[in-house]
RNA sequence: GCUGCUGUAGCUCAGUGGUAGAGCACUUCCUUGGUAAGGAAGAGGUCACGGGUUCAAGUCCCGUCAGCAGCUCCA
């Protein structure tokens, strides 16, 4: 006896075990045909799933309209793709093929290098398979049977996976579709015919089991939808995201430049991009001063001794630019006939003398703290700096503004007592919140990075770590935002609270960060004199609300799709003259705005006004000031808003007041909605 | 760092072994206009760089550098 409860509360009873397919059929032939997958007691299953006898079960049936069915179908599409590739390239070894956000991928090991040119052929083969509409058939097997099946198929990765990965499973399952059999948990749609529209998107290398010591496989990314409209919409979205990409917009709007000759991952800020960076810096500077921070400046390089003491040089040499060796030390090595390999060894041992491009600002700030005796009455001491650091990121990882080799942190180091730690952490988090709010960026996530207790890469006392991890948790709860805790994500010197956002392509980037450090004060033997007249060890906090100015601005460009709010816009207004007759008046207006502190330019070209407006609009300039005979007579300007269009005429003073108000309040308006095609209409990203 | 793809004018791109192209941008001239593209002419290229194959290379091969996608890494 099986009692099935449907979502509307109605029940059906069966004498024996029953499948969702049977229940669908009993409800109606239409549903039986439309059903793609089901959910039994919260678990997504195929329509052939056997609901065992003697049970009560809550059953939901999913049709093409349900997102749950889409995921199941995409996984089926992955099987079809694998089947097609196997048919075209015999001998291919299958690895993993899961569904991911927006589609699926499947990892293959085959000698033929797949490329975009193969996609059409593969898609054509998939078309045949889908047209044949063969069912997906589930096959259950115990471990021994399963191993026999995969060995018979010659699928070595599957053999390894059953042996080493699925050790907990006594019973395994396969799905068969025609001649294609794959080890698979399922579920699948009933038959391939329901895969309506699909497309192979890209191919890239991926290591077996994500380990760079393992063989590299070919990962084919694809997506599938039940109908063509869904696929088209998805592809349009990908297209829009590309146009929103900060690398594209950065070039179009002339915000920054990276030159092959000056170096990979080293940003050259143009005047326009520099405005954005400067305005963000000014904004946070005034906040920091109000919060009792003190600005400092430190050099771009420091002696190796500094980084030997801090631990950076011995621990993280591969991620640093090589050391700058002292001239006389170099001579001494030469005199000793030191070979390159000797030098390399000496370097690895940290036994050389010289300087390092600074990978972090903290050691310098520590030395400022330590430059005089500190009393508990002085604490907390908060030192901030827009400090530029250099890190040797792997070449394949570098791109745009989000992953670079030289970047400027809005860095600060707080030195406080144990008792002050919790409050100081809260203050840091407030600042991060403020930064995100100031640009209307609300869809960030909070992650607490804890240590991986099994790893030995961390320095410091486990008890201190426990204390610090607790302090982070407590501070994070004051944010009033959900946060996740991730083991193994801590810095080597302490736990941290990271603020993570997605870019327009869905990639995650860490921006703001707040990190507790018990380690550096010990390494540098920092102290303060307590009320008991005894020396005590201060606790350090590293924090950077923006994280890196480069990365933050990269994400910000995408957030605004290049249409910056007035307070950040590189060019805030452009005077557009109706004809060149009014150039003199136009220049007067321009001068008045500039006098009022605005970033303004004038367009006096011998072009028609429509063309000048179009150009300004495409440059995403917030306001155009149209001046012609009418305006000149009345000493006015006509304001054209980037978003709302013609706002009519007003006095120059009135216009300035309007702009100043918008700037001073750092108004973030709903995005520009013109036809420049620069804006994604994704509702989640409206601002 | 690894795998694959790509590199032609300022930008976006066409050009599959036989005299380097288009659109936009730029310069000049004409046009002087009322809220998203007026017209004409001109200038602009060591086809990323270095080797090789060939009578002949932008085109084929190898290497380097850089970009893109993903993987790995990210104090």
């Amino acid at each position: 006896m099986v009692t099935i409860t449907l979502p509307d509360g109605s029940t059906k009873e069966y004498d024996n075990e029953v499948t969702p397919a049977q229940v669908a059929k009993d409800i109606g032939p239409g549903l039986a045909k439309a059903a793609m997958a089901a959910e039994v007691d919260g678990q997504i299953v195929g329509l052939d799933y056997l609901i065992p006898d003697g049970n009560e079960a809550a059953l939901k049936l999913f049709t093409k309209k349900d997102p749950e069915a889409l995921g199941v179908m995409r996984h089926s599409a992955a099987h079809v793709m694998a089947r097609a590739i196997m048919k075209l390239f015999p001998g291919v070894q299958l690895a993993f093929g899961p569904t991911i956000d927006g589609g699926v991928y499947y990892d293959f090991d085959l000698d033929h290098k797949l490329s975009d040119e193969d996609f059409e052929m593969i898609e054509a083969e998939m078309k045949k398979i889908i047209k044949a509409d063969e069912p997906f058939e589930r096959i259950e097997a115990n471990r021994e049977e399963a191993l026999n099946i995969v060995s018979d198929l010659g699928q070595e990765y599957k053999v390894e996976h059953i042996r080493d990965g699925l050790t907990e499973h006594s019973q395994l399952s396969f799905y068969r579709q025609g001649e294609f059999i794959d080890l698979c948990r399922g579920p699948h749609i009933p038959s391939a015919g329901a895969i309506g529209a699909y497309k192979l998107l890209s191919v890239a290398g991926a290591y077996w089991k994500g380990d760079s010591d393992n063989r590299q496989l070919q990962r084919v990314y694809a997506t599938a939808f039940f109908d063509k409209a869904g696929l088209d919409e998805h592809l349009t979205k990908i297209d829009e995201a590309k146009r929103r990409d900060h690398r594209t917009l950065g070039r179009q709007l002339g915000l920054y430049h990276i030159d092959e000759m000056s170096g990979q991952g080293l940003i050259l800020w143009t005047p326009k991009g520099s405005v954005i960076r400067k305005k963000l810096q000014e904004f946070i500077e005034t906040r920091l001063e109000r919060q009792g921070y003190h600005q400092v400046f430190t050099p771009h390089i420091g002696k190796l001794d500094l980084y030997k003491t801090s631990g950076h040089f011995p621990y993280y040499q591969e991620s640093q630019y090589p050391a700058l060796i002292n001239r006389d030390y170099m001579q001494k090595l030469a005199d000793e006939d030191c070979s390159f390999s000797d030098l390399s060894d000496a370097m690895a041992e940290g036994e050389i003398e010289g300087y390092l491009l600074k990978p972090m600002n903290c050691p310098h700030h520590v030395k400022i703290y330590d430059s005089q005796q500190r009393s508990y009455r002085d604490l907390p001491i908060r030192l901030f700096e827009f400090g530029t650091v250099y890190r040797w990121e792997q070449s394949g990882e570098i791109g745009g503004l989000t992953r670079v080799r030289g970047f400027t942190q809005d860095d600060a180091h707080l030195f406080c007592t144990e008792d002050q730690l919790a409050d100081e952490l809260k203050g840091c988090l407030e600042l991060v919140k403020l930064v995100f709010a100031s640009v209307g960026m609300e869809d960030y996530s909070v992650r607490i990075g804890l240590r991986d207790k099994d790893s030995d890469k961390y320095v410091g006392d486990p008890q201190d770590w426990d204390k610090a991890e607790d302090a982070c948790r407590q501070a994070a709860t004051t944010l009033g935002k959900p946060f996740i805790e991730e083991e193994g994500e801590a810095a080597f010197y302490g736990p941290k609270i990271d603020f993570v956002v997605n870019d327009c392509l869905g990639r995650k980037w860490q921006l703001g960060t707040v990190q507790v450090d018990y380690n550096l004060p010990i390494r540098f033997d920092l102290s303060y004199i307590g009320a008991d007249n005894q020396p005590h060890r201060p606790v350090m906090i590293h924090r950077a609300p923006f994280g890196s100015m480069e990365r933050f601005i990269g994400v910000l460009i995408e957030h605004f799709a290049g249409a910056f709010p007035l307070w950040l816009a590189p060019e805030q207004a452009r005077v557009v003259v109706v004809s060149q007759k009014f150039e003199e008046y136009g220049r007067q207006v321009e001068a008045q705005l500039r006098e009022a502190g605005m970033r303004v330019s004038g367009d006096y070209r011998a072009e028609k006004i429509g063309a000048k407006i179009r150009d300004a609009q495409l440059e995403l300039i917030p306001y155009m000031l149209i001046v012609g005979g009418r305006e000149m007579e009345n000493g006015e300007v006509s304001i054209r808003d980037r978003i709302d269009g013609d706002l009519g005429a007003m006095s120059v003073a009135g216009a300035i007041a309007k702009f100043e108000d918008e700037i001073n309040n750092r108004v973030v308006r709903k995005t520009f909605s013109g036809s420049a095609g620069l804006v994604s209409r994704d509702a989640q990203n409206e601002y």
Side-chain angles (χ1 to χ4, degrees), chain A residues 396-517:
Chain A
E397 195 51 61
I398 293 171
L401 292 174
T402 40
R403 193 73 183 265
V404 294
R405 281 187 174 156
F407 57 96
T408 302
Q409 300 175 311
D410 59 324
D411 209 0
H413 295 93
L414 285 64
F415 302 84
C416 63
T417 67
E418 193 74 52
D419 293 343
Q420 292 166 333
L421 181 62
D423 273 350
E424 289 305 310
L425 282 175
K426 274 183 221 160
C428 293
L429 295 188
E430 280 304 313
L431 210 53
V432 179
K433 251 168 99 172
L434 177 76
V435 159
F436 281 114
S438 71
V439 291
M441 207 146 58
E442 298 300 342
D443 47 353
Y444 58 91
S445 58
V446 184
R447 178 181 70 192
I448 302 187
L450 307 173
R451 73 190 187 281
D452 171 3
K453 288 183 178 160
D454 297 330
S455 169
D456 56 1
K457 78 170 194 181
Y458 305 99
V459 287
D461 180 353
Q463 282 176 334
D464 286 338
W465 271 86
D466 288 338
K467 273 191 289 181
E469 289 181 352
D470 250 12
C472 285
R473 264 191 214 100
Q474 279 176 27
T477 51
T478 66
L479 272 175
K481 220 177 147 77
F483 57 86
I484 53 163
E485 297 185 13
E486 276 187 44
E487 272 193 28
E489 284 296 312
F492 82 97
Y493 49 75
K496 56 180 184 171
I497 307 167
D498 286 337
F499 296 81
V500 180
V501 300
N502 287 324
D503 69 12
C504 67
L505 300 171
R507 294 182 282 209
K508 289 191 188 308
W509 297 106
Q510 180 204 305
L511 294 179
T513 183
V514 178
Q515 315 184 348
V516 181
D517 190 349

Side-chain angles (χ1 to χ4, degrees), chain A residues 36-98:
Chain A
M36 289 289 134
E39 187 182 288
V40 174
D41 295 331
Q43 186 194 351
I44 295 185
V45 298
L47 292 178
D48 56 352
Y49 176 77
L50 275 181
I51 303 165
D53 199 3
N55 272 32
E56 285 183 18
L59 174 72
K60 273 189 217 168
L61 291 160
F62 298 128
T63 67
K64 292 180 181 180
K65 287 180 210 141
D66 298 299
E68 291 88 346
L70 184 63
V72 173
M73 181 277 278
R74 282 178 172 166
H75 187 53
S76 302
H79 274 223
V80 169
M81 178 170 80
R83 184 179 170 186
I85 288 176
M86 268 190 122
K87 203 161 183 183
L88 293 166
F89 305 100
V92 53
Q93 293 276 313
L94 304 174
F96 294 134

Side-chain angles (χ1 to χ4, degrees), chain A residues 589-641:
Chain A
V589 171
E590 205 189 322
Q592 285 178 73
L593 266 84
R594 191 164 290 121
E595 188 60 31
M598 286 193 63
R599 301 183 288 277
V600 59
S601 68
D603 189 345
Y604 308 108
R605 290 176 300 168
E607 277 295 345
K608 292 174 83 166
I609 185 167
K612 297 189 220 181
I613 285 170
R614 179 170 188 273
D615 288 344
Q617 194 83 45
L618 289 175
E619 288 176 58
L620 303 173
I621 295 164
Y623 290 106
M624 280 164 256
L625 306 174
I626 314 288
V627 298
R630 295 201 292 271
E631 289 79 8
M632 191 166 77
E633 253 173 57
N634 303 321
E636 292 184 330
V637 290
S638 283
I639 300 186
R640 184 186 160 94
D641 181 297

Side-chain angles (χ1 to χ4, degrees), chain A residues 664-676:
Chain A
N664 294 336
N665 291 306
R666 284 187 300 280
V667 174
V668 176
R669 301 174 62 204
K670 192 174 173 304
T671 187
F672 162 75
S673 60
S675 57

Side-chain angles (χ1 to χ4, degrees), chain A residues 168-289:
Chain A
E168 314 265 293
H169 298 67
S170 57
Q171 198 67 13
L172 297 164
S173 63
F174 290 81
Y175 276 82
R176 189 170 80 85
Q177 209 235 353
E179 81 284 356
F180 180 79
I181 300 173
D182 194 8
L183 175 70
C184 176
R185 188 176 52 181
H188 282 274
I189 55 174
S191 68
I195 303 168
Y198 49 90
K199 190 171 171 59
L200 271 57
L201 298 174
S202 62
V203 56
Y207 299 104
W208 167 239
K209 294 196 169 169
D211 186 336
S212 58
D213 291 334
N214 285 342
R215 187 174 165 88
Q216 193 161 44
L217 310 169
Q218 300 190 62
R219 176 170 295 177
V220 180
Y221 286 86
T223 192
F225 289 85
F226 284 113
D227 55 26
K228 189 162 182 307
L231 177 64
D232 288 346
E233 196 186 324
H234 181 74
L235 296 177
T236 308
K237 246 185 171 169
I238 293 175
D239 245 31
E240 281 177 0
K242 267 186 203 153
R243 258 173 292 169
R244 200 187 181 98
D245 192 316
H246 77 273
R247 292 165 296 190
T248 311
L249 284 172
R251 187 183 301 113
Q252 274 171 15
L253 301 175
L255 300 178
Y256 70 97
H257 175 66
I258 301 168
D259 196 277
E260 218 175 287
M261 190 182 276
S262 65
Q264 189 188 19
L266 299 170
I267 307 301
L268 307 175
W269 288 97
T270 60
K272 284 186 176 180
S274 301
V275 166
I276 298 166
R277 177 167 159 177
K278 185 173 141 205
K279 290 294 151 186
L280 288 171
Q281 289 189 188
E282 283 174 1
F283 163 66
I284 196 145
E285 262 171 21
T286 58
R287 298 286 150 170
L288 291 175
E289 276 153 17

